[in-house]
């Protein structure tokens, strides 16, 4: 919003997220937890149904922390035509992956090939 006032809408709760999906908001900033609730809970499911096949882009910041459990998979399975990008300063590689109920997974397995790398001196 510093760049263009009103260009990004944040969400205070899941209800406002679902409202923004259904109005003309182009860029929404929210949490993975609110998005998960919007597609998973019965009270929002009907309003979110029409977006299952919509072409969208999801950008996840700090993706090394939030993307390795059921929530990521649920979002990935629900939306059929989305492009997902994950930003992280500490990607998960095979040698530092931690096993959970889904096994040992890496950032590459979740998001595909790395598009860009840099080091702090850059």
């Amino acid at each position: 919003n510093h760049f263009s006032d009103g260009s990004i809408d944040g969400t205070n709760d899941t209800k406002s997220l679902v409202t923004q999906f259904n109005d003309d908001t182009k860029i929404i900033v929210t949490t993975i937890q609110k998005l998960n609730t919007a597609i998973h809970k019965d009270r929002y499911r009907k309003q979110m149904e029409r977006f299952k096949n919509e072409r969208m882009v999801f950008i996840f910041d700090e993706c090394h922390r939030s993307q390795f459990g059921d929530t990521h998979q649920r979002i990935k399975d629900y939306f059929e035509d989305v492009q997902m990008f994950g930003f992280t300063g500490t990607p998960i590689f095979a040698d530092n992956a931690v096993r959970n109920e889904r096994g040992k997974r890496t950032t590459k397995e979740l998001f595909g090939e790395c598009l860009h790398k840099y080091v702090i001196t850059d």
Side-chain angles (χ1 to χ4, degrees):
N1 277 332
H2 271 311
F3 176 72
S4 179
D5 192 35
S7 63
I8 296 176
D9 261 344
T11 56
N12 295 324
D13 53 39
T14 305
K15 183 179 179 182
S16 67
L17 172 62
V18 172
T19 298
Q20 289 170 337
F21 260 92
N22 283 281
D23 65 19
D24 62 354
T25 303
K26 299 291 184 205
I27 299 175
I28 301 169
V29 176
T30 192
T31 64
I32 189 171
Q33 293 84 3
K34 289 176 192 149
L35 182 57
N36 179 59
T37 300
I39 63 171
H40 185 66
K41 297 294 181 181
D42 289 336
R43 66 179 170 252
Y44 302 115
R45 190 170 293 141
K46 187 172 184 170
Q47 291 173 285
M48 293 299 293
E49 186 73 26
R50 71 183 190 107
F51 299 104
K52 286 182 79 159
N53 298 310
E54 288 290 318
R55 189 175 173 116
M56 290 182 272
V57 174
F58 291 148
I59 301 170
F60 297 103
D61 193 19
E62 299 291 335
C63 69
H64 62 281
R65 298 180 184 272
S66 62
Q67 302 296 316
F68 289 86
D70 292 336
T71 301
H72 174 84
Q73 193 62 49
R74 193 176 295 123
I75 290 168
K76 193 173 174 179
D77 290 344
Y78 185 85
F79 293 101
E80 297 176 12
D81 195 16
V82 296
Q83 182 71 46
M84 293 186 169
F85 293 92
F87 288 94
T88 181
T90 53
I92 304 299
F93 299 108
D95 60 342
N96 67 337
V98 176
R99 181 172 303 282
N100 67 13
E101 64 278 355
R102 296 188 170 276
K104 287 180 111 177
R105 299 186 307 158
T106 65
T107 303
K108 182 178 177 180
E109 289 173 309
L110 294 176
F111 291 98
E113 292 296 324
C114 178
L115 298 178
H116 179 70
K117 294 179 189 176
Y118 67 93
V119 294
I120 197 69
T121 57
D122 293 340

